[in-house]
Amino acid sequence: MDPELDGRPREIAVKILADVQPVAPTGTPFEPVEFEGMTVTPYVTDKGRMAFSLRATAITAPKGGKAAAAPSAGKAAA
C-alpha cells in the first residue's frame, strides 16, 4: 500500500451525467455495474497531488462476461 494514502478514503465516486437520476439495475446497495460513456479527467490539486475526476453517462447491469480467475497457488500463469 502507498504510505502517502494513510488516513485517506479508499473509495471513489463516479458522477453520472443524465437527464434523470440513475438507479442501480437491481436496486441493491452493493452490486456490480458497468459504466457507459466513462471519461477520466486528470488534474492537480491545490496541494500539488495528482487526482482524477470520473464521469459516466449511464450505469447498466454487467453484460454477463465471466470474471478472470486468479491463477491457483503452485501453478504458473501461462
Side-chain angles (χ1 to χ4, degrees):
M1 285 225 179
D2 187 345
E4 292 184 20
L5 294 179
D6 279 348
R8 286 196 238 162
R10 303 290 195 261
E11 68 274 355
I12 61 168
V14 177
K15 294 178 183 174
I16 309 294
L17 308 173
D19 292 335
V20 295
Q21 181 175 346
V23 176
T26 64
T28 59
F30 301 101
E31 65 180 293
V33 296
E34 290 184 6
F35 295 103
E36 294 181 359
M38 177 71 84
T39 60
V40 179
T41 306
Y43 64 95
V44 177
T45 68
D46 57 352
K47 295 181 180 181
R49 294 188 178 273
M50 175 68 87
F52 299 91
S53 172
L54 304 172
R55 291 187 172 99
T57 57
I59 58 174
T60 61
K63 303 235 183 338
K66 290 179 115 178
S72 299
K75 290 186 177 181

